[in-house]
Amino acid sequence: VTDESGTPLGVASESDVRQHLGPDFFHHLNDVSALMDRLFPRFPVDARLDNALVAMEAARATCTVIVDNKHPVGILTKRDIVRLFHQAEVNPLLSTVMTQPVITISENSSLAEAAQQMSIAGIRHLIAINSEGHAVGLLSDHTLMRPLELMLLDEADEERQTLTRSRDEAWRRTARNERYQRALLDNFPFMVWLKDTDSRFLAVNQQLARSVGKNDSDELIGKSDFDFFPPHQASAYCADDALVMAGQKAKVVVEQIFVDNKNIWHETYKAPILDEAGKLLGTVGFAQDISAKKRADEAILLRNAALAGLIRGEPLVGVFELIVLSVEAEHPDWQCAILLASEDGKHLTCAAAPRLPDEYAAAIDGMVAAEGSGALRLILNGIVLHLLLTAELAHRRVDDVLGE
């Protein structure tokens, strides 16, 4: 600063301007991370002074930060270089000439806090650190003066707000899509999964999670079939995955899947997943419980066999047993019997009960059958059996049953 005649009156630096404005000036501005320099010279403690000087000259920087495993431990400024020049030391280690301990501030702190800290400590440089204590930025008197360029600041703030809005909208869109995908997966009435090329689960629905005894589908992510199924079944599932990926063709297989500690027949569909460039990403699949269909098919085969036996005139005992087995095939929890009424309709005889104990047939033989509906209660070896008998059922013809 000079007078009208050019006589020097004093020096006004950025530090003077910062101190004149005071910390309150920075309250309405952004935080440290928005203004700090992210590209600045930094060297390990075992680096030499020459290395720091070259970097500072190339970057036109006023200081170098010395770090140990990314943690700031010291700083070397232009003032230090002048001091070292007078000491005439020959290219010393930075650890021996740096200023320490170093003063730092969180990157999430406000600029007002940064300006106040620099004013109290009487420093021109302040190192910004992240939550892990790593040096991620540098504040100086010069960077703190940038907000005075109001137009640039307004543009930067508008850009930041635009980026924030875009980011928030992207997050909302991503979250919404994830909810849609989760709802789509979890509302399928059968097991659905997505695997990577190593047959590890990337996504599964709740139906699959519950089938392996888990309440949360996330518990399966990153794991494989070997973590939930018997080894021989897991090997077969992974072998099918490998075939699908090798041939890059979908595959449908009827197989047993271990669900709730028992094997249940499923129809499984598997297909490869490819990206837009044709690169293999993994497989997708679903498995639908077809145990009811398998039981129905088995029941039809048994009824057809019974009908064929009846046509061929085979003994009725064998025909009756096939009929009973056909009903039990469709209802595996049932144990059935065919009872025949005597010619006078007053007594019952067990004609077929392939899965019931012999004591049952012995107890039934010769039992009196009342006219109309009646209930009989038998106790055989501690097992309570309830029979609902009607005269109409007792006299129904075999071919009527087969016809149904």
Side-chain angles (χ1 to χ4, degrees):
V1 180
T2 63
D3 61 10
E4 294 179 355
S5 63
T7 303
L9 300 178
V11 175
S13 68
E14 290 177 328
S15 297
D16 297 323
V17 177
R18 171 175 55 78
Q19 292 177 3
H20 173 73
L21 293 173
D24 291 339
F25 172 79
F26 299 92
H27 274 302
H28 69 286
L29 302 176
N30 297 325
D31 55 18
V32 170
S33 63
L35 204 60
M36 66 185 184
D37 290 320
R38 298 180 183 274
L39 299 177
F40 56 92
R42 66 193 90 180
F43 286 92
V45 293
D46 56 356
R48 296 285 179 174
L49 178 61
D50 284 352
N51 302 123
L53 294 178
V54 171
M56 291 171 64
E57 176 62 22
R60 295 186 178 276
T62 58
C63 70
T64 292
V65 177
I66 294 86
V67 297
D68 185 9
N69 291 327
K70 299 182 180 180
H71 295 272
V73 295
I75 190 170
L76 183 72
T77 68
K78 286 185 175 180
R79 287 184 176 181
D80 296 320
I81 295 172
V82 174
R83 171 175 55 82
L84 295 174
F85 177 81
H86 288 293
Q87 293 177 0
E89 294 185 44
V90 180
N91 198 22
L93 291 172
L94 292 180
S95 60
T96 63
V97 297
M98 65 186 182
T99 299
Q100 57 179 327
V102 69
I103 299 177
T104 62
I105 190 170
S106 169
E107 64 177 337
N108 297 320
S109 299
S110 68
L111 289 177
E113 293 174 337
Q116 185 175 18
Q117 191 168 342
M118 292 174 69
S119 179
I120 293 174
I123 57 176
R124 297 184 177 185
H125 302 87
L126 188 60
I127 300 173
I129 58 174
N130 61 15
S131 58
E132 297 177 353
H134 297 168
V136 294
L138 186 66
L139 277 180
S140 66
D141 288 331
H142 180 68
T143 54
L144 284 175
M145 292 302 100
R146 290 174 187 166
L148 293 176
E149 303 173 12
L150 296 179
M151 182 179 299
L152 294 178
L153 178 63
D154 289 342
E155 291 178 358
D157 185 60
E158 178 61 29
E159 182 179 356
R160 181 184 62 83
Q161 293 184 25
T162 301
L163 290 174
T164 300
R165 288 193 296 268
S166 299
R167 180 198 61 195
D168 293 344
E169 176 59 29
W171 283 349
R172 287 192 293 268
R173 186 166 54 250
T174 300
R176 185 169 58 249
N177 290 338
E178 289 179 352
R179 287 195 295 270
Y180 288 157
Q181 292 171 6
R182 175 51 54 188
L184 177 65
L185 287 175
D186 289 342
N187 280 282
F188 279 115
F190 40 77
M191 296 182 286
V192 183
W193 62 86
L194 179 69
K195 294 181 180 179
D196 62 16
T197 53
D198 293 321
S199 289
R200 292 187 297 259
F201 291 112
L202 297 174
V204 303
N205 68 343
Q206 282 297 116
Q207 187 80 5
L208 176 54
R210 287 192 295 266
S211 71
V212 297
K214 302 297 181 182
N215 295 323
D216 189 348
S217 58
D218 289 340
E219 295 183 62
L220 279 71
I221 306 306
K223 298 182 179 179
S224 71
D225 294 308
F226 288 96
D227 295 304
F228 306 104
F229 300 103
H232 68 282
Q233 289 187 340
S235 297
Y237 302 157
C238 291
D240 282 337
D241 294 341
L243 288 175
V244 169
M245 288 186 286
Q248 295 194 4
K249 292 182 179 180
K251 181 180 181 180
V252 179
V253 60
V254 175
E255 60 188 353
Q256 288 186 324
I257 298 180
F258 198 66
V259 178
D260 295 331
N261 296 319
K262 57 184 177 182
N263 285 315
I264 297 178
W265 285 102
H266 284 76
E267 184 179 65
T268 302
Y269 172 87
K270 295 182 178 182
I273 302 175
L274 308 175
D275 65 10
E276 296 178 352
K279 180 182 178 181
L280 181 67
L281 301 179
T283 59
V284 64
F286 64 84
Q288 189 170 6
D289 184 348
I290 60 168
S291 54
K293 181 179 182 299
K294 292 281 287 186
R295 292 194 298 267
D297 291 343
E298 182 181 356
I300 291 174
L301 292 176
L302 290 168
R303 289 194 184 111
N304 289 340
L307 183 59
L310 188 63
I311 293 173
R312 290 193 299 266
E314 295 179 357
L316 286 178
V317 172
V319 174
F320 289 158
E321 287 191 352
L322 289 172
I323 294 173
V324 171
L325 290 173
S326 72
V327 175
E328 293 177 342
E330 288 187 286
H331 306 281
D333 296 330
W334 290 12
Q335 289 180 310
C336 306
I338 292 180
L339 307 179
L340 298 181
S342 59
E343 292 185 1
D344 58 7
K346 296 181 178 180
H347 298 86
L348 297 174
T349 301
C350 182
R355 293 179 59 199
L356 288 170
D358 293 338
E359 291 89 343
Y360 173 83
I364 288 295
D365 283 340
M367 180 175 289
V368 176
E371 184 70 24
S373 297
L376 300 180
R377 185 172 182 271
L378 306 178
I379 302 179
L380 301 175
N381 296 333
I383 301 175
V384 180
L385 306 175
H386 293 274
L387 303 174
L388 180 64
L389 305 175
T390 65
E392 178 185 358
L393 287 175
H395 291 283
R396 290 182 65 179
R397 295 171 54 191
V398 172
D399 52 352
D400 290 337
V401 177
L402 289 174
E404 293 181 354

